[in-house]
Amino acid sequence: MATPLTPNPAYKCMTKLFSHILLIVLFLTIVESQSIIESLPGYSGSLPFKLETGYIGVGDLDDVQLFYYFIESERSPKDDPLVLWLTGGPGCSAFSGLVFEIGFVILMSWMHTLRPPSIIKPGDDCPLSFDFDNSSRDSPTFKLNPFSWTKVANIIFVDAPVGTGFSYARSWEGYSITDTISAAQTYSFLRKWLLAHPAFHKNQLYVAGDSYSGILVPIIVQKISDGNEAGVKPAMNLQGYVLGNPTTTPHDDYNYRIPFAYMKALISQKQYESIKTNCKGEYINVDPNNTLCVNDLHTVTDCTQKIYSGQILEPTCSLTSPKPVGSKLDASLLGEDAIHLLSLTQVPELWCRSYNYIFSYIWANNETVQRALHIREGTIREWIRCNASLSYTDDVFSTLEYHRNLIKKGYRILIYSGDHDMVIPHISTYAWIESLNLTIATDWGPWFVDGQIAGYTMESYYKKSRLTYATVKGAGHTAPEYKPKECFAMVNRWFAYYPL
């Protein structure tokens, strides 16, 4: 019988040394891509917080380079949660979440030479302000957002999937992505980011996002959970996840648009009863030979096609963009059609939310801005706020089972819905949460901000897991964009383990 070979101690030592060298090389490669940004074009003076930008390579041979913005908590970086934020789409830049939803600044400007007062939408519902006296049409300016989530959390805003924002691939093959590939790459991104930022290893970790991120976030959370159980380093202090107006099962989400339209008086009771009977509750995969159902659906379309589905109380804009960019959820939602206003000599009097997005194009495509952000020259042709031209294939058609599984693992979950969103109606989200058959801890009731009802909430649990669901009264598809004060109060209380 052959005698088993005893490992050579010198060989073991060399192998261990080689592994350490590889980790060091990986760490140095990541570190080289980080830049601390102390000032930004459009903001006067030094930034009053720590902003970092960089790239992290993922995929085969780091072919895919994901760009990120990282803002340390303004309160206590070492104690506050670490949040990975994914903007929806897929294909909407992290910059959109940064300046229009939960980030540290508010993009301000309008066409100084045009500045019709009638386009201003007054009140606190809109997180953007227009500085007519201090801005010009070519120079958008910023002011600090008093309701930024970075006041209570460290947030990584990542341009994912590749082809989003400033992220790019070194080969054409790298741009071919799916839900599962994107989730795997984002998970790899987070692991490498934590390797380069060891100070945040112990912070409570949450993964968050809105809209189409409802597909990707639960998959990423599952990968983190599985990795922790398998002993993958670095271990992540995963606590849970946060989702706003999330896509969960697209077919069901879209199917709920019909009852939502009835609830909001966009169609009559007679029309609703007819379509329920004739379509038998199925409004997406309709038999074309069922003429009664088809005719009813045409009637619904006639009643709703001029409604802005992102927030049904706001005006809708005509699709007149020279570069129309759609969405998997709703072509009008992203509002890219307003970009044509840059070339107009007279601004329409009607205000549209999409006009707010114009200045992100001006700012992010400016060469001085890109140098300030340390964007790699020549890596993208043009920055687009929401890029629907991605080579992207849906291969996950429901994340409900991911939610079921993660509930069993003891995580905290916050789901919120703007209650005037017809893209992902709140009644759809409520329905799938109900289908989880959790135990009710606190039944449906109002929650308040400044003594006023900010929405309605309920809390459910399964053993150690807690799922909080909240509506945000008057908010649209990206709730913090419409109701920043209320959404900040909501997430601040939730991070602190307080009831809403």
Side-chain angles (χ1 to χ4, degrees), residues 35-42 47 51-54 67 69 166 363-364 366-376:
S35 301
I36 302 300
I37 311 300
E38 296 182 349
S39 63
L40 283 173
L47 297 176
L51 169 64
E52 173 187 299
T53 65
F67 182 78
Y69 311 80
F166 291 117
W363 193 82
N366 183 280
E367 291 183 3
T368 301
V369 169
Q370 293 188 7
R371 284 194 297 270
L373 293 174
H374 294 265
I375 304 303
R376 293 172 181 166

Side-chain angles (χ1 to χ4, degrees), residues 90-385:
C92 288
S93 172
F95 183 73
S96 191
L98 192 67
V99 299
F100 297 123
E101 295 186 57
I102 68 168
F104 63 92
V105 293
I106 296 174
L107 189 61
M108 300 171 52
S109 186
W110 190 246
M111 302 179 183
H112 182 67
T113 58
L114 305 176
R115 60 178 190 173
S118 57
I119 66 168
I120 304 172
K121 187 174 190 306
D124 294 333
D125 290 355
C126 180
L128 302 186
S129 301
F130 301 105
D131 187 358
F132 299 121
D133 295 326
N134 299 315
S135 299
S136 71
R137 104 182 245 162
D138 297 321
S139 302
T141 58
F142 290 102
K143 72 174 181 179
L144 293 178
N145 176 9
F147 307 114
S148 170
W149 293 14
T150 59
K151 292 186 177 296
V152 295
N154 307 280
I155 306 182
I156 312 165
F157 297 85
V158 59
D159 277 342
V162 65
T164 298
F166 291 117
S167 293
Y168 69 97
R170 292 168 173 160
S171 70
W172 287 112
E173 293 80 6
Y175 286 100
S176 183
I177 42 182
T178 65
D179 293 324
T180 51
I181 290 173
S182 179
Q185 289 178 347
T186 306
Y187 169 60
S188 177
F189 164 91
L190 182 58
R191 285 192 58 229
K192 289 187 174 183
W193 190 93
L194 282 168
L195 279 173
H197 298 80
F200 293 96
H201 284 187
K202 294 183 179 179
N203 291 65
Q204 291 189 344
L205 173 66
Y206 295 92
V207 184
D210 54 18
S211 189
Y212 196 79
S213 297
I215 296 294
L216 299 173
V217 165
I219 304 173
I220 296 166
V221 174
Q222 184 69 60
K223 287 183 177 295
I224 297 171
S225 181
D226 292 345
N228 283 345
E229 291 176 3
V232 176
K233 302 298 181 182
M236 302 186 194
N237 188 15
L238 178 64
Q239 298 298 307
Y241 55 100
V242 179
L243 286 171
N245 291 77
T247 306
T248 304
T249 304
H251 171 275
D252 296 351
D253 295 332
Y254 305 161
N255 213 48
Y256 269 97
R257 292 175 180 176
I258 298 296
F260 176 87
Y262 167 62
M263 292 173 63
K264 298 299 184 183
L266 305 182
I267 59 176
S268 70
Q269 181 174 354
K270 181 179 178 181
Q271 289 169 328
Y272 181 53
E273 294 298 335
S274 178
I275 196 172
K276 271 202 309 180
T277 300
N278 293 330
C279 297
K280 298 178 174 59
E282 176 56 60
Y283 313 119
I284 306 300
N285 299 322
V286 175
D287 179 0
N289 295 317
N290 185 346
T291 55
L292 292 175
C293 176
V294 171
N295 290 337
D296 281 345
L297 285 172
H298 282 311
T299 300
V300 171
T301 299
D302 290 340
C303 289
T304 61
Q305 64 182 347
K306 297 297 185 180
I307 295 291
Y308 175 53
S309 56
Q311 214 289 5
I312 64 170
L313 299 183
E314 291 193 353
T316 185
C317 300
S318 60
L319 296 176
T320 54
S321 172
K323 300 178 182 178
V325 180
S327 164
K328 289 185 177 296
L329 301 183
D330 190 298
S332 67
L333 174 65
L334 304 178
E336 305 304 338
D337 52 290
I339 195 67
H340 77 291
L341 286 174
L342 291 174
S343 61
L344 295 183
T345 57
Q346 183 175 357
V347 176
E349 290 189 359
L350 178 67
W351 177 90
C352 278
R353 180 165 295 274
S354 54
Y355 300 168
N356 293 343
Y357 307 140
I358 295 173
F359 302 99
S360 61
Y361 284 83
I362 301 173
W363 193 82
N365 281 300
N366 183 280
E367 291 183 3
T368 301
V369 169
Q370 293 188 7
R371 284 194 297 270
L373 293 174
H374 294 265
I375 304 303
R376 293 172 181 166
E377 188 174 353
T379 54
I380 65 165
R381 181 181 302 175
E382 179 185 19
W383 183 91
I384 299 174
R385 191 181 74 89

